[in-house]
Amino acid sequence: MARQFLAAAFFALSAFKLGWLVVAPIFLAAEQRRSDAAEADLRRVCRARQPPWALWRRERLAAECSARALAELRGTQSFPPPSLVLKHQDFPSVLSTHHLGAAVWCGAGIAQFALRRNSAAERQRHRLVGRLHLLGVALLTAGFVQICRHDLHFDRDFRAAYADVPARDEREHRLGVLVLCGLQAWFVLTAGKAWAAARARRIDAHSAWMVRHVASGMWVVVMRALSLMANAAVFALGALGAEPPSGLVKMRIFAATAVAGTLISLSAGEMFARAAELS
């Protein structure tokens, strides 16, 4: 029963992730175009409102008007900012590793859970798909290196979108990157342990380490789901007349979804892994 639930959960989360890879860039690109057009209209309106006799003060007054209007506009927009996803389109090294690796990793994982492995031919197919899954791990790890190399962390998108988000605290940033490196190391380690257990024909250990490995990769997907729910809650409160949260609050909510997604995924993975070891 536990394995069936785990398989269903992995299938649902992987389908969500694969859908996110396809749908999110299209949706967010359209939102970014609407946002850019609205911001351009605001700037034109603010410039037109300034009296011609203001002379040298006209540009400054127009800039102040635009800043106030843009702050109000961005306060009602969704979070995280569209650039959080769209910025990767400017980095082929990230698209060809991180995004391609995510698709390979999820697709191979779904195949491993969905395909039978009773006959010798089916078990051989299971091993081949397992190697494809390891390829996804390698690509994802290379993509993580590229993300760190180009400093594509989420805080820079919030700082670019919202004026109230303070400058980066380098000590806090280094700590966050260190935590992400630890999660990535665990992701690679669990994959290696699962592969080693399979080579040694220790099937229960292989299953347990695969559960831990899946959980170590699925925290991002859980975070995305939590972020969407938080976004929906913000929109619902705004529709009821509540004041839209500031950019800093939005960034903290997004960071909280990352922490919650990590804790939920790793805790559930360890629980199911121990159940697999005892079965």
Side-chain angles (χ1 to χ4, degrees):
M1 185 66 181
R3 291 188 179 183
Q4 293 175 344
F5 176 81
L6 184 63
F10 180 78
F11 184 86
L13 290 172
S14 295
F16 174 79
K17 177 62 177 178
L18 292 172
W20 176 274
L21 290 173
V22 175
V23 175
I26 299 173
F27 173 79
L28 292 175
E31 182 178 349
Q32 186 68 61
R33 288 193 295 270
R34 288 194 299 270
S35 176
D36 291 343
E39 291 182 7
D41 289 340
L42 283 174
R43 289 191 175 93
R44 283 194 294 269
V45 169
C46 284
R47 185 179 293 275
R49 284 178 178 175
Q50 307 310 316
W53 57 82
L55 299 178
W56 61 272
R57 295 179 60 240
R58 186 179 184 185
E59 290 297 326
R60 181 172 62 82
L61 293 173
E64 292 175 356
C65 171
S66 297
R68 290 192 300 270
L70 290 176
E72 294 178 3
L73 173 66
R74 289 171 178 171
T76 62
Q77 290 173 343
S78 64
F79 73 96
S83 62
L84 190 72
V85 173
L86 299 179
K87 66 187 176 187
H88 291 168
Q89 296 179 358
D90 297 327
F91 297 90
S93 62
V94 177
L95 292 176
S96 60
T97 55
H98 186 72
H99 288 259
L100 176 61
V104 171
W105 188 81
C106 290
I110 290 175
Q112 291 294 65
F113 277 110
L115 298 176
R116 295 182 301 177
R117 45 186 181 273
N118 297 324
S119 66
E122 290 170 347
R123 288 192 292 272
Q124 179 63 24
R125 181 181 59 192
H126 179 78
R127 287 190 287 271
L128 291 174
V129 176
R131 294 187 181 97
L132 187 62
H133 191 85
L134 288 176
L135 174 62
V137 173
L139 288 171
L140 281 168
T141 304
F144 175 76
V145 172
Q146 292 298 317
I147 288 172
C148 291
R149 176 190 171 196
H150 296 291
D151 189 20
L152 299 179
H153 302 291
F154 76 91
D155 62 312
R156 93 173 199 175
D157 301 286
F158 282 92
R159 289 187 173 87
Y162 303 106
D164 67 302
V165 178
R168 173 183 285 176
D169 183 324
E170 288 301 327
R171 181 178 298 180
E172 181 180 326
H173 173 68
R174 285 194 293 268
L175 177 61
V177 172
L178 183 62
V179 171
L180 289 175
C181 289
L183 288 172
Q184 190 65 33
W186 180 246
F187 178 73
V188 175
L189 176 64
T190 51
K193 295 285 284 185
W195 177 78
R199 294 276 295 176
R201 299 293 191 271
R202 293 185 290 113
I203 304 305
D204 289 342
H206 171 68
S207 299
W209 280 109
M210 274 306 299
V211 170
R212 292 186 178 100
H213 172 68
V214 166
S216 69
M218 278 296 165
W219 73 268
V220 180
V221 187
V222 176
M223 177 201 70
R224 296 292 187 199
L226 293 175
S227 180
L228 286 176
M229 288 188 283
N231 197 20
V234 168
F235 270 111
L237 291 173
L240 295 175
E243 187 74 17
S246 65
L248 180 59
V249 171
K250 288 182 177 181
M251 187 175 77
R252 287 175 175 170
I253 292 175
F254 184 78
T257 62
V259 174
T262 302
L263 294 176
I264 291 171
S265 186
L266 294 184
S267 299
E270 187 60 29
M271 179 181 69
F272 282 109
R274 291 180 181 273
E277 290 176 331
L278 295 175
S279 63

